[in-house]
Amino acid sequence: MRAYQVSRFNAPPELCDITRSAPGPEQIAVEIRACALNFADLLLIKGTYQETPEPPFTLGMELAGVVSEVGDKVDGFAPGDRVAVYSGQGGLAEHGVFEAARAVRMPDTMRFEDAAAMLVAYGTGHLSLAHRACLQPGETLLVTGAAGGVGLTAVEIGAKLGARVIAQARGAEKLEIARKAGAAHLIDASEDLRERVLELGGADVVYEAIGGDVFRAAFRATRPEGRILPIGFAGGDVPQIPANHLLVKNLTVIGVNLGAYLSFNPTALRYSFAEVLRWCEVGELTPHISHMLPLERAAEGLQLLKERKSTGKVVITMT
């Protein structure tokens, strides 16, 4: 079967022909139909992601497909089931073997491409905003990088939870995408973020994916008793948080590691996955996919992420 693999760090991944694996006792085998790309895939190539395996390994953190075989100890899945899988790796291939605990059933009416685009970004957004930050109707949510794969879903989920969403992104085109997703106020990345947010009354919750100066500006625009979610550091600068400022404004900084929930609270993780898939099924969420490419063009998809030329998700299809 074909798989898009990292053979050594800091080298271009390659499309390889590898042998299929059989599932272990608690695993499922999946005929993969679609896999969504993530910024973390770029970090995996460099070997700098916090959960990077040793090469060789297959990229692809989230996928959708059809179960072809199940392990002896697996309950709840059977061959023929349509599933979405938070794989962590292994999704950019025609076939894969994954822990059954990482999979959820897909609605019968959902496209594989949409299901593959849901888990990481929407799951992170729902788990962060609903479970960790306890975002309430009427509160103000600031989302930075609001047209990217993670940020855009936070705009949608925040609006659905009843928050007033302030979206920051670069350029009129990306801001318009955020507006259509539910943002009530738009801030261009060229503007003074702190000043503009304070003009709007400040933020109760900050969903921050850029880091560096953007984080620092958002931090200073947070209301007393605000909650700050440092989701990622796409700008490359991991900010240091002044603890004395936390005390002055009674702020809370909340860490969210989606994958870690598999070990200490898998129920919360699966609930978030199931909830966003349900919202999509009934038309309350629609994943924004800016590019859909075949497996042989996966390198092109990763380059779109690296150059920030995509909005929402880039999805790779296997057929």
Side-chain angles (χ1 to χ4, degrees), residues 30-251:
V30 179
E31 297 288 345
I32 300 170
R33 303 294 175 80
C35 176
L37 301 183
N38 290 274
F39 186 80
D41 288 310
L42 300 176
L43 301 180
L44 283 163
I45 293 170
K46 295 190 293 183
T48 58
Y49 189 60
Q50 61 262 31
E51 297 173 3
T52 301
E54 286 298 316
F57 61 89
T58 300
L59 291 169
M61 300 185 70
E62 55 184 334
L63 62 98
V66 178
V67 175
S68 59
E69 189 178 354
V70 301
D72 295 340
K73 296 183 179 180
V74 172
D75 292 321
F77 295 107
D81 285 347
R82 303 168 85 247
V83 293
V85 184
Y86 171 51
S87 58
Q89 58 172 296
L92 282 176
E94 294 173 319
H95 180 272
V97 169
F98 311 101
E99 297 299 319
R102 290 179 172 266
V104 290
R105 287 179 178 273
M106 286 173 51
D108 291 339
T109 57
M110 184 178 292
R111 300 189 310 164
F112 290 109
E113 295 85 356
D114 290 336
M118 295 289 292
L119 296 186
V120 170
Y122 282 96
T124 299
H126 186 274
L127 193 70
S128 300
L129 296 176
H131 178 68
R132 295 290 282 128
C134 299
L135 181 67
Q136 299 299 306
E139 289 192 310
T140 296
L141 168 67
L142 169 63
V143 180
T144 64
V150 171
L152 191 62
T153 58
V155 172
E156 287 185 86
I157 291 171
K160 177 165 175 53
L161 293 173
R164 180 183 68 142
V165 181
I166 303 172
Q168 185 233 32
R170 185 171 299 281
E173 182 180 352
K174 290 185 176 182
L175 288 171
E176 177 60 16
I177 291 170
R179 184 192 66 78
K180 290 180 177 178
H185 302 280
L186 307 174
I187 300 175
D188 192 273
S190 63
E191 300 180 78
D192 186 316
L193 179 63
R194 174 176 177 268
E195 180 179 320
R196 289 281 286 108
V197 174
L198 289 176
E199 287 174 356
L200 294 167
D204 297 298
V205 176
V206 175
Y207 194 87
E208 211 294 288
I210 307 302
D213 290 340
V214 174
F215 178 93
R216 286 182 276 272
F219 183 92
R220 296 175 66 199
T222 306
R223 290 174 176 169
E225 294 194 330
R227 290 91 76 200
I228 303 167
L229 297 148
I231 299 301
F233 314 103
D237 179 0
V238 178
Q240 302 303 301
I241 299 170
N244 59 322
H245 289 192
L246 298 177
L247 299 181
V248 170
K249 294 174 72 176
N250 291 282
L251 302 179

